[in-house]
């Protein structure tokens, strides 16, 4: 029996290498040398060009030898899932390659004829599309904020106009009551004034009713594997696995872009201050149709009484660029019918640091067994195992 380290059908593998070199899509080949090692056999030049790195850095190396520790664990898990399963594995991932953040839609499959020990990967770059997606979400958030201001202004203007017009209508009615018409048309003018005022009041009422119908909700709910999403973010904020990061394994329906941007901001903040541990908790408020995500850490925490507006103001005063900050995340969530807030620390769970709560329209589809929250009886909660 051939040793497990031998290359299965070397000639066929060579032909597969030649084949992917002739395809203008980023592709790579992995080989299972033994139960403990999966290494890249080849990556085509298209992958190197799109990733912006020499394709030669892949051959003969494992994921652990190329990527940061936490990211390598995820990638190896994906490759093993493909080897152990009977169907292709497809997923979105964010990889740090040579210090650059790149996004990919990757599909893994097992080509026939290699004894189930070869993985063929096709990785389509979505970096530019992801950047546009995030930029569009931020732009929509800004537009929604401006729309809210305009809506408030128009509503207040309508309210302010309705009261004096109603007074004019009442005064005209008083004048007409017992008015002595001397045939000079004044009574008809007064009735015309009253009718005009009534029509104006009706139009104001219609304007207010229409204003209440407007909604800034532009969410596009999709099914999201929360564990994979949160682990991708964990690989970005703590690539070398210096922290313990607990995330819930669950499938949720939500606006994926909003949840991704919000979680990334909160987990990045937590990674800056955490001592050893970050915990992401998932809850669901079925009455209000919301999913609730808490991000807590074991860092020094916030001064007592700190509110979100205090942190937002402090962030605005800092020099330099700090990404999509708390104020922007709050605005983004608000534009989608959600909220962002500061919550009390989870001292009894060994997480005395800051805890932020993000609420966004959605629902839990599966996973993460639900338990009642200790600080919000309307919510059902599940902590990552």
């Amino acid at each position: 029996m051939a040793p497990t380290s031998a290359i299965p059908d070397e000639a066929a593998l060579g032909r597969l290498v030649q084949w992917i070199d002739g395809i203008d899509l980023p592709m790579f080949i992995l080989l299972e040398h033994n139960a403990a090692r999966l290494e890249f056999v080849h990556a085509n030049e298209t992958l190197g060009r799109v990733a912006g790195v020499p394709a030669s850095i892949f051959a003969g190396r494992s994921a652990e030898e190329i990527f940061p520790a936490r990211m390598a664990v995820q990638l190896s898990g994906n490759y093993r899932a493909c080897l152990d399963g009977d169907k292709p594995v497809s997923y979105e991932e964010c990889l740090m390659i040579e210090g650059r953040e790149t996004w990919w839609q990757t599909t893994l499959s097992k080509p026939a004829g290699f004894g189930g020990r070869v993985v063929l990967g096709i990785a389509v770059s979505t970096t530019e599309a992801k950047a546009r997606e995030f930029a569009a979400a931020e732009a929509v958030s800004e537009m929604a904020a401006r729309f809210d201001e305009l809506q408030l202004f128009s509503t207040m203007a309508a309210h302010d106009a309705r009261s004096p017009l109603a007074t004019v209508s009442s005064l005209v009615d008083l004048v007409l009551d017992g008015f002595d018409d001397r045939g000079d048309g004044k009574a008809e003018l007064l009735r015309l004034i009253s009718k005009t005022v009534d029509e104006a009041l009706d139009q104001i009422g219609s304007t207010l009713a229409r204003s209440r119908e407007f909604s800034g909700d532009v969410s596009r709910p999709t099914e999201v594997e929360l564990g994979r999403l949160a682990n991708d973010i964990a690989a970005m904020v703590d690539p070398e696995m210096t922290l313990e990061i607990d995330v819930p394994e669950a499938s949720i329906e939500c606006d994926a872009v909003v949840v991704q941007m919000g979680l990334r901001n909160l987990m990045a903040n937590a990674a800056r201050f955490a001592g050893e541990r970050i915990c992401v908790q998932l809850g669901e408020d079925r009455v209000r149709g919301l999913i609730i995500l808490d991000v807590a850490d074991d860092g020094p925490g916030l001064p007592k009484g700190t509110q979100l507006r205090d942190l937002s103001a402090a962030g605005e005063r800092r020099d330099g660029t700090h990404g999509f900050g708390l104020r922007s995340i709050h605005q983004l969530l608000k534009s989608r019918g959600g909220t962002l807030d500061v919550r009390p620390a989870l001292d009894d769970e060994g997480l005395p640091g800051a805890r932020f709560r993000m609420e966004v329209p959605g629902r839990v589809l599966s996973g993460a067994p639900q338990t009642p929250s200790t600080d919000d009886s309307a919510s059902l909660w599940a902590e990552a195992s």
Side-chain angles (χ1 to χ4, degrees):
M1 183 176 178
T4 58
S5 59
I7 298 177
D9 200 341
E10 190 170 354
L13 192 59
R15 290 193 296 271
L16 182 61
V17 167
Q18 290 180 337
W19 177 71
I20 72 168
D21 278 341
I23 296 178
D24 193 26
L25 282 174
M27 301 181 73
F28 58 89
I29 301 170
L30 287 149
L31 172 65
E32 182 186 36
H33 278 284
N34 51 56
R37 182 172 175 83
L38 262 172
E39 70 177 34
F40 289 90
V41 173
H42 184 70
N44 65 6
E45 291 299 324
T46 305
L47 176 60
R49 185 183 74 247
V50 174
V53 297
S56 58
I57 70 169
F58 292 92
R61 302 170 72 187
S62 67
E64 290 78 7
E65 294 165 347
I66 299 173
F67 301 100
R70 189 181 295 277
M71 192 174 294
V73 169
Q74 283 185 258
L75 291 174
S76 294
N78 292 333
Y79 303 152
R80 289 289 176 188
C82 178
L83 284 173
D84 296 340
D86 297 323
K87 296 180 180 179
V89 175
S90 186
Y91 52 91
E92 183 183 63
E93 60 186 344
C94 179
L95 302 180
M96 297 296 294
I97 301 178
E98 299 291 305
R100 296 189 311 111
E101 182 182 300
T102 59
W103 288 88
W104 305 85
Q105 182 66 42
T106 302
T107 300
L108 306 174
S109 59
K110 288 189 296 185
F114 297 99
R117 291 173 52 203
V118 169
V119 173
L120 175 64
I122 303 176
V124 179
S125 175
T126 58
T127 302
E128 292 184 3
K130 207 68 178 178
R132 289 194 298 270
E133 199 173 53
F134 289 158
E138 186 172 1
V140 169
S141 173
E142 290 290 340
M143 290 173 61
R146 301 291 80 78
F147 174 81
D148 287 345
E149 292 174 3
L150 180 60
Q151 184 180 11
L152 178 61
F153 174 78
S154 62
T155 301
M156 293 303 297
H159 273 295
D160 291 345
R162 182 164 61 176
S163 181
L165 282 175
T167 301
V168 171
S169 180
S170 298
L171 291 173
V172 172
D173 289 341
L174 285 173
V175 172
L176 282 172
D177 185 23
F179 183 76
D180 184 13
D181 187 359
R182 298 183 179 182
D184 54 3
K186 290 181 180 178
E188 185 61 30
L189 284 173
L190 287 172
R191 280 189 284 272
L192 181 59
I193 291 171
S194 180
K195 181 181 178 182
T196 302
V197 170
D198 289 342
E199 288 177 353
L201 288 170
D202 287 342
Q203 290 175 4
I204 288 173
S206 298
T207 298
L208 291 172
R210 180 61 176 159
S211 178
R212 286 191 291 269
E213 292 174 3
F214 283 138
S215 172
D217 183 13
V218 291
S219 297
R220 293 179 176 82
T222 56
E223 185 173 345
V224 176
E225 293 301 322
L226 183 60
R228 181 183 293 280
L229 175 65
N231 277 321
D232 276 344
I233 296 171
M236 286 186 273
V237 303
D238 179 40
E240 300 300 336
M241 292 186 74
T242 59
L243 299 170
E244 176 187 349
I245 301 181
D246 303 323
V247 301
E249 294 295 335
S251 176
I252 61 177
E253 185 180 72
C254 62
D255 187 320
V257 174
V258 172
V259 169
Q260 190 172 59
M261 293 177 75
L263 264 186
R264 180 171 176 177
N265 178 280
L266 298 182
M267 290 175 68
N269 283 341
R272 290 173 56 207
F273 299 104
E276 298 179 351
R277 183 179 172 219
I278 297 172
C279 183
V280 179
Q281 296 179 329
L282 169 68
E284 182 180 20
D285 187 329
R286 295 171 185 165
V287 175
R288 294 186 295 157
L290 298 172
I291 57 170
I292 307 169
L293 289 162
D294 273 15
V295 178
D297 63 70
D298 65 348
L302 299 170
K304 187 175 181 180
T306 299
Q307 297 185 19
L308 185 66
R309 62 174 176 267
D310 303 322
L311 299 172
S312 298
E316 294 293 327
R317 289 193 298 268
R318 287 205 303 263
D319 294 331
T321 300
H322 297 272
F324 206 65
L326 286 175
R327 177 182 175 277
S328 297
I329 291 296
H330 173 64
Q331 185 170 290
L332 176 65
L333 289 168
K334 184 180 177 183
S335 73
R336 301 301 203 277
T339 61
L340 178 66
D341 198 7
V342 180
R343 307 295 293 185
L346 299 173
D347 295 293
D348 56 341
E349 298 181 31
L351 296 164
R355 177 166 67 122
F356 290 89
R357 173 169 295 182
M358 181 173 73
E359 297 183 346
V360 66
R363 61 194 179 106
V364 177
L365 300 178
S366 64
Q370 307 290 289
T371 55
S373 167
T374 58
D375 61 354
D376 188 348
S377 58
S379 299
L380 296 176
W381 284 91
E383 182 174 355
S385 57

